[in-house]
Amino acid sequence: MTMNLLRPFNGYDVNPVILDMKEALEREEMVNRTVGWDMIFFPTPAFRRMLLVGLGVAIAQQAVGIDAIQYFLVHILEEAGLERGPTQSWVLVLLGVIKLIFIVVGGKLFDRRGRRPLFFVSLAG
């Protein structure tokens, strides 16, 4: 119907315009299908690998990372005989400074060595 309405305008061929509109609608529909929970519940093989790597890294960081030590450090220090006070605070500050230094060193090494080898080294301890 639209084509019949537009044809009288100087014999303009509207078929390419309509074809472009149909392609745009198809692309939009395809994007709508690829975004959302379907990507999580029914992932493509490439996306499945990305999900597994991301979850694996997150679990590894929690299992062997410094965050686990920092979480229990106050209790560890108390068990070691350092009661709450300035000494314990200085130990916590020192640990934070050491962590910051190694973050900077790790950031520099990422550029030279790559993420994967450094990840495996960090898992080793």
Side-chain angles (χ1 to χ4, degrees):
M1 166 135 180
T2 305
M3 289 186 351
N4 294 335
L5 291 173
L6 294 175
R7 274 204 179 107
F9 296 106
N10 297 329
Y12 183 74
D13 186 17
V14 294
N15 288 329
V17 175
I18 292 174
L19 182 64
D20 187 46
M21 291 170 72
K22 286 181 182 178
E23 289 174 358
L25 286 172
E26 289 173 6
R27 283 191 305 265
E28 186 177 328
E29 181 64 31
M30 187 173 66
V31 167
N32 287 338
R33 279 184 268 139
T34 60
V35 176
W37 289 105
D38 285 347
M39 285 295 289
I40 303 295
F41 292 126
F42 309 107
T44 62
F47 193 70
R48 184 178 302 123
R49 184 172 182 209
M50 285 188 272
L51 282 173
L52 289 174
V53 168
L55 288 173
V57 167
I59 291 169
Q61 284 178 336
Q62 292 300 315
V64 300
I66 189 72
D67 295 327
I69 294 170
Q70 279 185 313
Y71 182 76
F72 292 107
L73 189 60
V74 172
H75 179 69
I76 293 169
L77 291 175
E78 287 175 357
E79 291 291 320
L82 291 173
E83 295 298 322
R84 293 185 186 262
T87 307
Q88 197 176 52
S89 296
W90 282 111
V91 170
L92 293 172
V93 168
L94 179 65
L95 180 67
V97 169
I98 292 170
K99 183 178 176 182
L100 177 65
I101 290 168
F102 278 98
I103 287 171
V104 171
V105 169
K108 298 286 185 184
L109 285 175
F110 276 163
D111 294 336
R112 294 187 193 133
R113 305 276 190 223
R115 292 179 188 273
R116 186 178 175 142
L118 289 176
F119 174 70
F120 288 125
V121 168
S122 72
L123 284 178

